[in-house]
Amino acid sequence: MIEIGFFFKKFVTFFLEPLGIVVVLFVMGLYLLYAKKEDRAKLFLLGGLFLLFLFSYPPFANFLIQNLENQYSKYDYKQEVRYVHVLGNGHSVDPTQPISSQISDAGTKRVLEGVIIYKKTPNSKLIFTGYKGDTNTSNAEMNARLALALGVDKNDIIVNGWPLDTKDEAIFAKSLVGKKPFALVTSATHTPRAMTLFRSLGMNPIAAPTNFNKSEFKGWLRKPSPYYFELSTLAIHEYLGLLWAKLKD
């Protein structure tokens, strides 16, 4: 039942994000065109084209990303914490590939930042969370394997592969750290939502953002690209998450 609700949430979210919105507009436009309602069809098709261009336009995508990533600066390694919580991300399981290639780019950077904090913080422990997705191994376990390959002591690693989302990860972390300060490692775009959620449970995370996507302004005459459409999607996903958290509060 829990997984059904989780995947239903993912399904609904798709239609609120850029690709889902553009697809719906194009489908409605084609349907109206078939129904010989040309004027309305043009509005939907032009709207879809406009949003496709807008979300793929570098300055706009960068604007969306910067508003998220500028909220927290990089971690101060002089902080004294007991735990370093690295949030999960995507992965695959392919024994023909090295562990560094089986974890997503964002996930690899999260693990690397977590290990750096761990090595700069005496007597600290790493927490890895994240479910298995459509594989037979949890993301938490995959991230732990990378940490071990980077020289982390296995006795300093805590793994929980059950959390399906950030809220589940926060609930588990609270059972370990309570209200004590700890480093929270996640992607820079995800940091505002993660910090909001963890704090809503009465916890005291210290932001440790990584995997930044923002870039310097390079002028308005930039051509659209799928890469920036993906960044816009990433940003909109986080804005929706923040909005949902506020509505629930």
Side-chain angles (χ1 to χ4, degrees):
M1 182 63 71
I2 294 177
E3 288 202 10
I4 292 176
F6 173 74
F7 288 112
F8 177 73
K9 181 178 68 174
K10 293 289 185 182
F11 176 78
V12 172
T13 300
F14 169 78
F15 292 99
L16 298 175
E17 294 179 351
L19 181 58
I21 295 172
V22 170
V23 167
V24 168
L25 288 174
F26 276 127
V27 169
M28 288 298 298
L30 292 173
Y31 169 76
L32 291 169
L33 198 62
Y34 173 78
K36 300 186 182 303
K37 298 180 180 179
E38 288 83 0
D39 290 339
R40 291 185 181 180
K42 289 178 182 178
L43 288 176
F44 279 92
L45 292 173
L46 288 174
L49 284 172
F50 172 74
L51 289 181
L52 181 62
F53 169 82
L54 182 65
F55 289 126
S56 304
Y57 183 51
F60 181 73
N62 198 45
F63 167 76
L64 293 177
I65 287 291
Q66 281 186 332
N67 282 338
L68 291 167
E69 296 188 341
N70 286 341
Q71 293 185 37
Y72 293 94
S73 57
K74 66 179 183 179
Y75 185 78
D76 179 3
Y77 298 110
K78 296 180 181 179
Q79 298 278 0
E80 294 183 4
V81 294
R82 174 63 172 158
Y83 293 97
V84 181
H85 188 182
V86 179
L87 299 187
N89 199 257
H91 72 282
S92 62
V93 178
D94 185 349
T96 66
Q97 299 179 17
I99 185 63
S100 58
S101 291
Q102 295 182 58
I103 300 173
S104 68
D105 290 343
T108 300
K109 291 179 180 178
R110 293 182 187 188
V111 175
L112 286 174
E113 182 64 14
V115 171
I116 290 172
I117 297 173
Y118 161 81
K119 291 194 172 185
K120 289 180 176 290
T121 310
N123 302 315
S124 60
K125 291 185 179 295
L126 281 164
I127 303 172
F128 292 110
T129 50
Y131 79 121
K132 63 182 180 180
D134 56 1
T135 72
N136 57 6
T137 307
S138 72
N139 185 248
E141 177 61 32
M142 296 297 290
N143 288 343
R145 291 179 187 178
L146 179 56
L148 288 170
L150 294 171
V152 175
D153 188 332
K154 66 178 181 180
N155 295 317
D156 290 335
I157 295 178
I158 300 170
V159 176
N160 187 331
W162 289 107
L164 294 175
D165 54 21
T166 308
K167 182 178 180 180
D168 288 345
E169 293 178 296
I171 292 172
F172 172 69
K174 186 175 182 180
S175 69
L176 295 174
V177 306
K179 295 184 178 181
K180 295 180 181 178
F182 66 99
L184 180 60
V185 184
T186 189
S187 299
T189 51
H190 183 236
T191 300
R193 181 159 64 99
M195 292 291 287
T196 298
L197 201 155
F198 275 73
R199 285 172 174 167
S200 71
L201 296 179
M203 303 173 71
N204 293 290
I206 302 173
T210 186
N211 187 41
F212 284 80
N213 290 294
K214 63 182 181 180
S215 59
E216 295 181 0
F217 179 71
K218 298 179 180 179
W220 297 103
L221 296 177
R222 303 284 304 283
K223 64 179 180 180
S225 78
Y227 171 74
Y228 286 98
F229 186 90
E230 184 179 353
L231 288 188
S232 292
T233 301
L234 181 64
I236 295 297
H237 179 81
E238 294 303 326
Y239 286 123
L240 288 173
L242 286 167
L243 177 61
W244 176 245
K246 289 183 178 179
L247 289 175
K248 287 197 299 183
D249 289 341

